[in-house]
Amino acid sequence: MLNAAFILVVVSTFSVATPSYAATILILGDSLSAGYGMSEEQGWVQLLRNDLTEHQIINGSVSGETTAGGLRRLPNLLASSDIDLVVIELGGNDGLRGFPPNKLKSNLTKIIELSQDNGAQVLLTEIMVPPNYGPRYTNMFNSVYHELSDQFDITLVPFFMLEIAPNPELMQRDGIHPNQDAQPQITQWMSPWIKDALKK
């Protein structure tokens, strides 16, 4: 009887200690979401965790990631937990490497479909490439996100770097990545979109 009572206490303790989340959110991104150039605690995803404490937020972002890499990793990420919302922040490295926009669209399409097939909502973050890539490429690249938003009837979050990149004090020395001071601003930009998506 003593052993049985002990086991009951242990089980009860674990039941109380296991957190219960309202929803589980997966951020599937690249260096902009991985906190490149700073500690994980300073990045906008961790700041978002501090804002949305009732939700579990999994940061599946990897610096240098392309849409192809994100697509390869997604099945394991979806299998790791019961994901309610997938926030897709990918494509910047595809653009920087001059990958064809049709390949970008194909990969993002598969990411969206795989997420939805697993019962998750999808929030797509717009990505833009610099104008020095030429008007034809930049227009084709940028239009992919709007086309997918319409095709799948999903919300498209405007590119948060548009508010940050013009301010040198918010950018790292490479001129590509936001610095630590920019992270609260990114959190403030993303949080309402994510909250609204979770209501649907």
Side-chain angles (χ1 to χ4, degrees), residues 27 44 85-90 122-128 142 145-146 148-150 154-163 185-197 200:
I27 311 293
W44 74 266
L85 174 66
V86 177
V87 180
I88 305 170
E89 183 275 301
L90 285 172
V122 173
L123 195 61
L124 182 62
T125 299
E126 181 182 31
I127 302 293
M128 294 182 177
N142 297 344
Y145 295 86
H146 295 269
L148 290 175
S149 175
D150 292 339
I154 57 177
T155 299
L156 180 65
V157 181
F159 191 29
F160 56 73
M161 288 300 293
L162 288 177
E163 299 292 324
Q185 185 170 329
I186 299 174
T187 303
Q188 292 173 5
W189 182 270
M190 293 297 299
S191 183
W193 293 97
I194 291 174
K195 289 177 180 177
D196 186 63
K200 296 180 181 179

Side-chain angles (χ1 to χ4, degrees), residues 106-175:
S106 174
N107 289 335
L108 287 174
T109 295
K110 293 173 183 177
I111 289 173
I112 294 169
E113 290 176 338
L114 185 57
S115 300
Q116 292 180 335
D117 288 345
N118 278 266
Q121 292 190 69
V122 173
L123 195 61
L124 182 62
T125 299
E126 181 182 31
I127 302 293
M128 294 182 177
V129 292
N132 60 317
Y133 279 72
R136 183 175 182 273
Y137 182 80
T138 55
N139 290 336
M140 291 176 63
F141 184 96
N142 297 344
S143 66
V144 164
Y145 295 86
H146 295 269
E147 292 169 2
L148 290 175
S149 175
D150 292 339
Q151 178 182 341
F152 289 96
D153 192 24
I154 57 177
T155 299
L156 180 65
V157 181
F159 191 29
F160 56 73
M161 288 300 293
L162 288 177
E163 299 292 324
I164 293 172
N167 301 304
E169 67 275 12
L170 296 177
M171 298 295 292
Q172 297 186 36
R173 291 184 177 181
D174 60 12

